[in-house]
Amino acid sequence: MTNEQVILTKAGLQEKQEKLDHLKTVKRAQISEQIKEARAFGDLSENAEYDEAKNEQARVETEIALLEKLLRNAVVVEDTDIDPSTVGIGTSVRILDMEYNEEEVYAIVGSVEADADRKRISNESPVGAALIGKKVGEMAEVTTPAGTFSLKILDISKQGQV
């Protein structure tokens, strides 16, 4: 990750801070205890439990460093900056897939918050980029490697209000 700015919603910032706090307090303590228990088994050169605990410690410390860097470079989209008249980061948008005649609701977020399982799409994704700046009633043409499809914007609101 470079020193570029990272766009986060207020909820995304809170989520990342909570994850960092959990790693620093809870996870570090758990790993410390695992290392202590593994040392009690004796010879560290052939101690799989010790090796595994040290590997987990390295993974967690790397994740902590990445989260700290991300938070240092975070630019938070404030609730007052969100204009629900157009699709943008921090909005939820209800769309109609014209081909399948199906409605979906997506939250538009920065790339580090994207999570397809939670219907949170990045402003940089093909769908997110096509929706950005659109208003209710407008059509968005989405081009993907699989082809082009049309979405109609049915409703826009601040996240959590659709």
Side-chain angles (χ1 to χ4, degrees):
M1 190 181 315
T2 64
N3 284 337
E4 295 178 10
Q5 293 180 334
V6 177
I7 300 172
L8 289 173
T9 61
K10 213 170 195 175
L13 176 68
Q14 182 178 345
E15 188 177 292
K16 299 295 182 192
Q17 286 175 326
E18 287 171 0
K19 183 173 184 177
L20 179 60
D21 291 343
H22 174 78
L23 290 173
K24 284 181 159 184
T25 57
V26 177
K27 201 67 176 164
R28 272 184 175 163
Q30 289 173 344
I31 293 170
S32 178
E33 188 59 33
Q34 288 172 348
I35 291 171
K36 182 179 169 186
E37 288 173 11
R39 279 189 177 145
F41 293 141
D43 184 11
L44 298 181
S45 65
E46 295 182 18
N47 187 328
E49 289 84 2
Y50 179 78
D51 290 342
E52 182 58 34
K54 291 298 281 184
N55 287 339
E56 179 69 3
Q57 181 182 43
R59 188 192 66 74
V60 167
E61 292 303 322
T62 299
E63 190 171 359
I64 287 170
L66 289 172
L67 279 170
E68 287 176 336
K69 185 174 185 176
L70 182 146
L71 291 172
R72 274 194 308 274
N73 295 316
V75 174
V76 179
V77 177
E78 296 292 336
D79 290 342
T80 54
D81 295 334
I82 299 169
D83 176 7
S85 68
T86 60
V87 178
I89 294 175
T91 62
S92 289
V93 58
R94 187 166 52 95
I95 54 100
L96 175 65
D97 183 320
M98 300 304 286
E99 182 178 349
Y100 296 105
N101 198 33
E102 293 178 353
E103 286 187 23
E104 293 284 346
V105 176
Y106 293 107
I108 308 297
V109 296
S111 61
V112 298
E113 290 182 75
D115 183 345
D117 293 337
R118 294 170 55 197
K119 300 207 181 246
R120 296 169 60 128
I121 59 173
S122 166
N123 62 313
E124 298 172 10
S125 70
V127 173
L131 292 172
I132 294 288
K134 299 286 191 227
K135 297 180 183 296
V136 172
E138 290 186 339
M139 300 293 291
E141 295 295 316
V142 181
T143 303
T144 68
T148 301
F149 57 95
S150 298
L151 303 174
K152 182 175 183 178
I153 289 79
L154 301 176
D155 191 32
I156 305 167
S157 66
K158 290 186 179 184
Q159 285 183 14
Q161 297 178 356
V162 169

